[in-house]
DNA sequence: CACAGATAGTAGCGATACGAAACTAACTGG
DNA sequence: CCAGTTAGTTTCGTATCGCTACTATCTGTG
């Protein structure tokens, strides 16, 4: 391939990126981060035997209801988490229920509220989550780098969520509502319940530096 | 709020997250990363005076054509970059041209190819890019953390892109086609052209650990 | 108890994103 | 000259997603 096949003359190169301040490293990193997310979600979401070709929104919902604790598995909480409207969230949930990946049950104490739980089929489906490729890539990092990366991303998420007026959705282990009395159990002052060890790693709407219901 | 208002009995808590292996840190970081991207793109993309309410895909395209070098500003290159089809990329470009944010010109050497350039209006529009909130949050990090974060994200992007059969799209300064002879200019063996300093910071389709045209 | 206001969830509408496939035009190699 | 490839567009069907309106339920106050 010779120079003649290239579109721009050398003289043209002066104008094309001129007048443009050199992109700062932070801006560039932000672009790469969005690009990374796009690569995970967009590229070739084809179905296979154990991967039923869910849309990005459906994967997000399935992941959410697999990870959220029992106070947070409602359509409304998911809509807040995902920075969308309740209507949109309701549709996504409905579609997943129709596939048998989620199931709905009534809240005995509040007739308005619905409890959404992931089904065994839903858990099996999560094994084919396209996001796991990213998880594996992160897992391949040396442990100190991986830990630092996770901390940074968490902090950025919190910053952005605050700026977008979305709730922060942290883990109970970092929540100031929680009182770690014993080794295996923790008292949550917000929900007035005793949390098991598995609860501690789950997402919670009531996560708070800022108390929302106290 | 008392315990009675809470939906699940303590006994139910044993089943809801049981049978679920504790989510590993890498998986959790991957989820947070996608969540972060969602917060940037999804939440309240309302229009204001200098921000014309573009869709996420349109923002991505506008950013791409602002940053890509002169060999990479084509609809096809953008479609590869964004892990989408040429048809979709064509539509997004057309819409931005209709808004006057991009402009098209013919490639003299190849009648099939189109050159897409960002207009002054497009550059002005980028000032209102919702992604800048993320850029600012990253810029607020201490410099060593920021640099490490950027490196990690770049590496992850490259890994994922390779796995998705998408091109890697790096900067010329990291490309092995490039031969830094002088301080201000670099010879690119791939395109047989002399690159200016501003070219070096731009995205290139021909970026290569793997030579695609050599 | 009555009632106003807030909240959980759903339904329908419209605009749009996106991928798949078909198509045209132009380039490339023999 | 001609088969094969590549750049780009168009069309179409599906799904996303925000918005608005609506119902049902809960909560607080007098």
């Amino acid at each position: 391939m010779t120079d003649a096949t290239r579109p721009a003359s050398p003289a043209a190169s002066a104008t094309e990126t001129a007048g443009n301040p050199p992109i700062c490293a932070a801006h560039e990193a932000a672009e790469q981060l969005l690009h990374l997310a796009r690569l995970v979600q967009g590229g070739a979401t084809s179905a296979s035997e154990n991967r039923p070709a869910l849309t990005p929104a459906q994967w997000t919902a399935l992941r959410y209801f697999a990870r959220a604790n029992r106070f947070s598995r409602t359509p409304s909480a998911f809509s807040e988490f995902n920075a969308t409207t309740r209507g949109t969230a309701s549709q996504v949930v409905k579609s997943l229920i129709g596939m048998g990946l989620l199931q709905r049950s009534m809240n005995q104490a509040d007739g308005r509220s619905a409890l959404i739980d992931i089904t065994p089929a839903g858990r099996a489906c999560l094994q084919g989550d396209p996001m796991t490729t990213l998880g594996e890539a992160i897992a391949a990092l040396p442990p100190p780098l991986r830990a630092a990366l996770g901390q940074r991303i968490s902090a950025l998420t919190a910053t952005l969520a605050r700026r977008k007026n979305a709730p922060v959705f942290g883990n109970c282990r970092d929540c100031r509502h929680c009182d770690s009395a014993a080794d295996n159990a923790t008292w949550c002052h917000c929900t007035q319940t005793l949390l098991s060890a598995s609860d501690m790693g789950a997402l919670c709407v009531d996560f708070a530096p800022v108390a929302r219901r106290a």
Side-chain angles (χ1 to χ4, degrees), chain A:
Chain A
M1 177 171 286
T2 69
D3 206 0
T5 64
R6 286 299 177 175
S9 68
S13 73
T15 60
E16 59 187 354
T17 45
N20 204 16
I23 297 135
C24 76
H27 196 86
E28 198 170 330
E31 284 192 8
Q32 285 241 345
L33 204 149
L34 293 191
H35 184 200
L36 184 51
R38 167 72 191 166
L39 286 182
V40 171
Q41 297 196 326
T45 319
S46 61
S48 60
E49 36 187 340
N50 62 341
R51 177 141 59 98
L54 300 185
T55 66
Q58 288 171 328
W59 282 120
T60 304
L62 197 57
R63 265 181 242 129
Y64 175 83
F65 288 108
R67 271 194 62 199
N69 70 8
R70 64 183 179 274
F71 310 122
S72 311
R73 290 200 293 270
T74 67
S76 282
F78 171 63
S79 74
E80 289 185 52
F81 173 78
N82 205 32
T84 184
T85 59
R86 293 200 309 277
T88 300
S90 180
Q91 285 184 336
V92 174
V93 168
K94 189 174 68 171
S95 71
L96 290 174
I97 290 176
M99 296 182 200
L101 305 180
L102 295 180
Q103 62 189 6
R104 124 178 297 121
S105 54
M106 278 298 134
N107 185 338
Q108 304 300 332
D110 188 336
R112 300 168 302 178
S113 187
L115 291 175
I116 309 296
D117 288 285
I118 190 168
T119 63
R123 288 208 186 279
C125 182
L126 269 182
Q127 303 300 320
D129 187 347
M131 196 209 67
T132 52
T133 62
L134 177 57
E136 290 164 5
I138 292 178
L141 295 175
L145 282 181
R146 188 203 317 158
L149 180 71
Q151 279 188 341
R152 280 312 105 204
I153 292 176
S154 290
L156 287 174
T157 304
T159 302
L160 261 288
R162 226 170 282 126
R163 208 180 281 220
K164 296 269 181 177
N165 294 324
V168 175
F169 274 84
N171 285 347
C172 292
R173 80 172 86 95
D174 307 320
C175 180
R176 71 180 172 88
H177 291 144
C178 287
D179 207 347
S180 294
D183 286 325
N184 237 354
T186 301
W187 179 257
C188 173
H189 291 288
C190 174
T191 60
Q192 300 284 309
T193 49
L194 201 61
L195 302 176
S196 69
S198 62
D199 282 331
M200 299 298 289
L203 290 179
C204 184
V205 263
D206 294 315
F207 176 77
V210 180
R212 295 171 68 239
R213 299 194 191 181

